[in-house]
Amino acid sequence: MSSQTDNVTPYDRDEVSSNPAQNNNETLTTNSTIRNTIKQIKCNISNYLFTSRTESNQMKLNSNMHINDTTNKSSSKLSNQNDSEFLNTGFTLIGYTFLLQIILHIMTFLLNSLSYRYLDTASLGLVNVRLGLFYSTLIFTSREAFRRACLSRGGQVVNCNDDNNNNNRKSTESLSNAKVTTIVDPINEDFVDVSQLIKSCKQEINQDCHTSVQCSLQYNEQLYGILNLAWLVLPIGFIIVILLSFVWIFILPSPSNLIQESNSELNLTSSIIEQRYILSIMIYALSGLFELATEPLWLICQLSHEVRARIFIEAFANTARSIGIMFAIFTVPSQYAIYSLSIPQLLHGSTLFISYLLYFQYGIPRSTSNNELKLKGITGIASLKDILPSYFRYSIDRQGLQLVKNFFGQCILKQLLTEGERYLISAFHLISFTDQGIYDLVNNLGSLAARLLFLPLEESCHFMFSQCIQRDISPNKQDKKLLLDTFCMLKTALRISSLIAWIGVTFAQANSRLLLMIYAGHRLADNYVAVNLLQLYSAYVLLLAWNGSTEALLNSAMSTDEVLRHNQRLIIFSIIFLGANWFFVPVFNVYGFVLANCINMITRILYSVYYINKFLAKIDEPTNIEKQNNMDDDNDSSCSSSISSSKSSTFGVLSNCEIGKFSNISLLSLMFPSYSEMCILSISLICTFVSQHFLCCSFGILWMILHGTITFGFLFITLTIIYYEEVDIFQLIQNRLPFLSRNKKSQ
């Protein structure tokens, strides 16, 4: 036994002990070692899995960051697109308004020609001059101040609402992209959820919802406050109707005696003429109230960029009036000429009012989610009931009301300056009603270009400038991209209108008699006063071309205090205008009215040009941020730092690198033709004068056709040279006008 025990090796003795307690301890130690080894292996596996999961989360995070970068890039592109949205809408408004004016002036051209041939000229002068002045005074003084104020304030409210909606959408997208991550605890072999991010997300969501509700309430209060302000047009118009009716009936000279004194073809008693005159005033007043009642609907169409629908509605209303006049000319006896020209005016106002109501009730699509009208930039309107005045729920917008007070006096003075000669003619009866009819015909023909193209350009400029320029904000703190769009529109409108006016001045001198013959026959073409008046009127149209867009920018860029001071300047302009009439009319007779209007326009243009140049100079002034950057950096670095700082400010800060786009603008170069354009215009003027002297208009129709052919030949050459000289402007128009851009894309 002992020998066997002695033969056991030390290894065997350590491996197997004869003591049972010792063997149990060794077994426990071995099991613990095995468990630790297995646990370490599991820890390694868990760490590996944790590392892989972290890398996967990092890859997902990088992917999300890439998606967010792509989204930010696309949103920046969308922002740039929205910045040019006003420019697109402005050119769209020009295009559709231009088509509207073509249709209207074709109808007006035919109606005036028929009226001059078939109706009494004195009745034509009474309706077109005196009653037309009554209607224009009622409409302009009642709504123009409200229209400017509501359009300016409405643009600010809609733009702020769009910004809030974009910010809410971005915050919602960022919160929805947030992921709840988990952390692996390799020791406890558990996955622990982190709830801090969830709590912060909930807090941000609640805070954003609270802010969104506050912004929505503020937006509704401002929007309905502006609509309540727009509805004040109707009671103001009713008050002005009473005042104007009293003036036109009891203060102005009675037409019952004046028509008989003007060798009229009518053989009517004074009581009949007076009765028809008063009834016609009531008809014009009722039509004006119908048109004023559509002002809130017009405002919503403008703010939501529903330009095409508004143009079609106005075209339909004017077409109804024209059809009514044409029907009356051929069916009603000539003794009722006053009724034939005045009663169809009621068709215009009533058709306009009914068309707007039908469009808002049935023409605008509705949203499927909340059944609201799909109006771009405007929310919360579900039916016509929401547009009606709600003075008990929302107060009138105070800022807009203050603007109305500032603009009201300015609009009255502007109306006096615009229609000054008609007020003088009506008040003092400087010329007979027959001569007033002739003057109105020449005025309509001479202002054909002004109303056909200048009016759409001016209306588009008023719309775009009021939306792009923030009132009471310094020029160097305005939005840079919107300012670029503003002056792009100014350059385009001023250049196009100036070139068209120069063409009119050139070709009107040798073709005025031919136009009058086509317009009203030999009866008017043989009247040398009418021919000379039309030639002189073409120079006045050139001044109208310069005044339209420049004064639109002036009215939009002036601060509230400057508007008040500008009212005082308009009083001075009115005094100059009245003094010019007092001096020129006795000396030059009817030509004096046109000369006085030219003096009036020159004074207004000079001040507008002065103010715009001062506005451009203020853009060059550096802001406080730019001054600080210029103190710390060099000229090159200051350009980049000012651009980066503009992104963090509320309004885009204009950097010195981009100031050249504004400082290079020369209004005089936009008003006058280039050297090559001036040469072809001079050659055309001389050649058409020679052609008129030898060919037109007393040598027969064949020679008249030859003279017209020569005129069209030089006109074609002039337009060709202008096209190649102004190719940039025409490309801009082609890209911006909706129907031209569609044709270009389809090709």
Side-chain angles (χ1 to χ4, degrees):
M1 294 288 296
S2 62
S3 61
Q4 291 177 357
T5 306
D6 293 338
N7 291 332
V8 177
T9 62
Y11 178 78
D12 294 334
R13 189 178 289 114
D14 293 334
E15 186 74 19
V16 180
S17 176
S18 61
N19 191 354
Q22 184 178 0
N23 291 333
N24 291 331
N25 292 332
E26 291 178 355
T27 303
L28 292 174
T29 303
T30 303
N31 292 334
S32 177
T33 303
I34 293 172
R35 284 197 302 268
N36 290 333
T37 303
I38 294 173
K39 192 172 185 178
Q40 185 66 35
I41 293 172
K42 292 173 67 177
C43 287
N44 293 333
I45 295 173
S46 180
N47 288 331
Y48 173 77
L49 293 175
F50 174 73
T51 304
S52 300
R53 182 175 182 134
T54 304
E55 292 177 355
S56 177
N57 290 334
Q58 185 66 30
M59 292 176 64
K60 291 181 180 180
L61 180 61
N62 293 334
S63 178
N64 289 332
M65 291 177 62
H66 176 70
I67 294 173
N68 291 333
D69 291 338
T70 306
T71 305
N72 291 333
K73 291 179 181 179
S74 62
S75 63
S76 64
K77 292 180 181 179
L78 181 60
S79 177
N80 294 333
Q81 183 178 0
N82 290 334
D83 289 335
S84 299
E85 182 179 353
F86 295 113
L87 188 61
N88 293 332
T89 305
F91 277 97
T92 302
L93 185 60
I94 291 175
Y96 286 114
T97 310
F98 178 71
L99 295 178
L100 172 65
Q101 293 298 322
I102 288 178
I103 297 173
L104 295 182
H105 280 83
I106 290 176
M107 292 187 295
T108 304
F109 188 88
L110 295 176
L111 290 177
N112 287 335
S113 179
L114 292 174
S115 300
Y116 188 77
R117 285 180 169 89
Y118 292 98
L119 299 180
D120 179 59
T121 309
S123 300
L124 186 64
L126 174 64
V127 174
N128 288 351
V129 177
R130 181 172 289 194
L131 294 181
L133 183 63
F134 173 86
Y135 192 81
S136 64
T137 304
L138 168 62
I139 296 298
F140 194 86
T141 56
S142 299
R143 78 179 182 189
E144 186 65 20
F146 289 91
R147 176 170 287 189
R148 289 188 188 179
C150 293
L151 198 60
S152 178
R153 282 288 298 146
Q156 296 176 6
V157 171
V158 171
N159 291 336
C160 291
N161 184 47
D162 289 338
D163 294 338
N164 292 330
N165 291 334
N166 292 331
N167 293 332
N168 293 333
R169 184 172 62 252
K170 290 179 181 179
S171 62
T172 304
E173 291 176 355
S174 62
L175 290 175
S176 63
N177 291 330
K179 303 295 183 181
V180 179
T181 60
T182 58
I183 300 176
V184 179
D185 188 357
I187 304 299
N188 296 325
E189 304 176 8
D190 293 326
F191 292 92
V192 181
D193 293 333
V194 178
S195 60
Q196 297 297 327
L197 183 58
I198 298 177
K199 293 181 180 179
S200 63
C201 288
K202 289 182 178 180
Q203 292 176 357
E204 291 182 9
I205 291 174
N206 293 331
Q207 184 178 1
D208 289 340
C209 290
H210 181 67
T211 305
S212 178
V213 170
Q214 288 182 344
C215 293
S216 178
L217 293 176
Q218 184 180 6
Y219 164 75
N220 290 334
E221 183 178 358
Q222 292 177 344
L223 177 63
Y224 287 105
I226 293 172
L227 289 178
N228 288 337
L229 180 64
W231 278 111
L232 290 180
V233 171
L234 197 56
I236 294 296
F238 186 77
I239 295 173
I240 293 178
V241 161
I242 297 175
L243 296 177
L244 293 180
S245 299
F246 178 80
V247 172
W248 256 249
I249 294 174
F250 298 104
I251 296 180
L252 294 182
S254 175
S256 58
N257 298 325
L258 298 177
I259 288 181
Q260 293 178 353
E261 294 175 358
S262 61
N263 297 324
S264 172
E265 298 175 0
L266 296 178
N267 295 319
L268 301 175
T269 62
S270 300
S271 60
I272 294 177
I273 296 176
E274 187 73 20
Q275 180 183 358
R276 294 179 180 179
Y277 172 68
I278 295 175
L279 182 59
S280 298
I281 289 178
M282 297 298 103
I283 291 173
Y284 270 74
L286 183 59
S287 177
L289 292 177
F290 272 122
E291 185 170 352
L292 292 177
T294 64
E295 190 63 19
L297 306 178
W298 178 93
L299 177 64
I300 293 177
C301 287
Q302 286 292 96
L303 294 178
S304 60
H305 299 187
E306 295 288 336
V307 176
R308 182 173 58 181
R310 182 183 67 81
I311 295 299
F312 286 161
I313 290 174
E314 293 181 0
F316 182 65
N318 284 279
T319 303
R321 173 182 175 271
S322 300
I323 293 175
I325 293 177
M326 190 175 298
F327 178 79
I329 289 175
F330 291 107
T331 58
V332 178
S334 59
Q335 289 82 2
Y336 298 93
I338 298 177
Y339 285 161
S340 299
L341 296 172
S342 59
I343 291 180
Q345 181 66 33
L346 188 60
L347 290 175
H348 173 266
S350 58
T351 304
L352 190 69
F353 180 72
I354 295 173
S355 299
Y356 267 114
L357 293 180
L358 293 177
Y359 175 71
F360 274 84
Q361 186 66 31
Y362 303 105
I364 302 178
R366 295 180 178 272
S367 176
T368 56
S369 59
N370 51 14
N371 200 30
E372 291 183 357
L373 298 180
K374 288 184 178 180
L375 297 171
K376 191 173 185 179
I378 298 179
T379 58
I381 297 178
S383 63
L384 282 173
K385 184 179 179 181
D386 297 329
I387 306 176
L388 295 177
S390 54
Y391 296 106
F392 296 103
R393 294 181 58 190
Y394 302 99
S395 60
I396 298 174
D397 186 73
R398 298 297 178 184
Q399 298 182 20
L401 185 60
Q402 183 62 37
L403 284 176
V404 170
K405 294 178 182 178
N406 297 337
F407 279 129
F408 192 76
Q410 183 183 135
C411 292
I412 292 177
L413 293 174
K414 186 177 179 180
Q415 176 68 10
L416 292 175
L417 292 174
T418 304
E419 303 284 355
E421 77 279 3
R422 294 176 181 265
Y423 287 113
L424 293 175
I425 291 173
S426 300
F428 302 104
H429 197 65
L430 299 178
I431 56 178
S432 64
F433 281 113
T434 302
D435 293 336
Q436 289 181 30
I438 296 175
Y439 177 79
D440 183 72
L441 289 174
V442 174
N443 185 18
N444 289 330
L445 185 60
S447 62
L448 185 63
R451 297 180 181 180
L452 187 63
L453 184 61
F454 301 163
L455 183 61
L457 287 172
E458 184 177 355
E459 184 178 353
S460 300
C461 288
H462 274 294
F463 166 76
M464 182 177 173
F465 297 162
S466 63
Q467 303 296 302
C468 294
I469 299 178
Q470 298 290 328
R471 197 178 298 277
D472 296 326
I473 299 296
S474 178
N476 59 348
K477 294 182 180 179
Q478 297 278 348
D479 192 303
K480 174 184 58 179
K481 295 179 181 178
L482 294 182
L483 278 180
L484 289 175
D485 288 343
T486 297
F487 284 98
C488 179
M489 185 69 177
L490 174 66
K491 292 167 63 176
T492 304
L494 183 58
R495 188 59 178 168
I496 291 177
S497 57
S498 299
L499 290 175
I500 292 176
W502 279 110
I503 293 174
V505 171
T506 301
F507 289 92
Q509 307 307 315
N511 295 277
S512 295
R513 188 179 179 186
L514 179 61
L515 289 176
L516 291 175
M517 183 172 294
I518 297 174
Y519 188 49
H522 285 280
R523 180 183 172 187
L524 191 61
D526 294 337
N527 189 336
Y528 72 95
V529 175
V531 175
N532 296 333
L533 188 63
L534 184 59
Q535 292 173 343
L536 181 61
Y537 204 90
S538 63
Y540 174 62
V541 170
L542 176 62
L543 298 177
L544 290 177
W546 293 347
N547 180 71
S549 55
T550 54
E551 197 168 62
L553 181 58
L554 171 69
N555 293 328
S556 299
M558 285 189 300
S559 63
T560 304
D561 295 334
E562 288 174 339
V563 170
L564 292 175
R565 292 195 297 268
H566 188 62
N567 292 338
Q568 300 175 359
R569 297 188 190 96
L570 287 178
I571 295 176
I572 299 175
F573 295 158
S574 301
I575 295 174
I576 295 174
F577 174 65
L578 293 176
N581 277 284
W582 176 80
F583 177 77
F584 287 119
V585 172
V587 177
F588 300 102
N589 200 2
V590 70
Y591 308 121
F593 293 115
V594 182
L595 294 175
N597 281 324
C598 292
I599 298 297
N600 170 35
M601 284 296 158
I602 289 174
T603 55
R604 292 163 62 178
I605 291 168
L606 289 177
Y607 180 75
S608 298
V609 171
Y610 165 75
Y611 184 88
I612 293 173
N613 289 330
K614 187 173 67 172
F615 186 86
L616 291 171
K618 288 183 179 180
I619 298 178
D620 294 342
E621 296 178 358
T623 60
N624 294 329
I625 298 176
E626 290 177 329
K627 291 179 181 179
Q628 185 66 29
N629 291 331
N630 291 331
M631 292 175 61
D632 298 336
D633 301 329
D634 295 329
N635 292 330
D636 295 335
S637 61
S638 65
C639 293
S640 59
S641 63
S642 61
I643 294 175
S644 62
S645 63
S646 66
K647 297 179 181 179
S648 60
S649 59
T650 304
F651 298 97
V653 179
L654 299 178
S655 64
N656 294 330
C657 296
E658 296 174 339
I659 285 300
K661 297 180 181 179
F662 299 100
S663 60
N664 290 335
I665 296 176
S666 175
L667 297 180
L668 291 179
S669 63
L670 296 174
M671 292 178 177
F672 291 92
S674 63
Y675 177 76
S676 57
E677 292 168 348
M678 184 64 72
C679 290
I680 188 60
L681 289 174
S682 301
I683 294 173
S684 300
L685 177 64
I686 296 173
C687 294
T688 52
F689 254 130
V690 174
S691 175
Q692 182 204 20
H693 180 73
F694 290 101
L695 301 177
C696 186
C697 290
S698 303
F699 304 101
I701 188 172
L702 294 178
W703 297 104
M704 291 171 55
I705 294 175
L706 180 59
H707 171 67
T709 304
I710 294 174
T711 300
F712 276 109
F714 280 100
L715 179 61
F716 176 77
I717 297 173
T718 303
L719 293 177
T720 303
I721 293 177
I722 289 177
Y723 176 79
Y724 285 104
E725 285 286 324
E726 313 292 340
V727 62
D728 295 336
I729 293 180
F730 287 105
Q731 288 180 354
L732 177 64
I733 296 174
Q734 185 177 4
N735 294 330
R736 295 293 181 179
L737 286 180
F739 40 84
L740 294 180
S741 60
R742 290 172 190 166
N743 294 334
K744 185 177 179 180
K745 290 180 181 179
S746 62
Q747 292 175 358

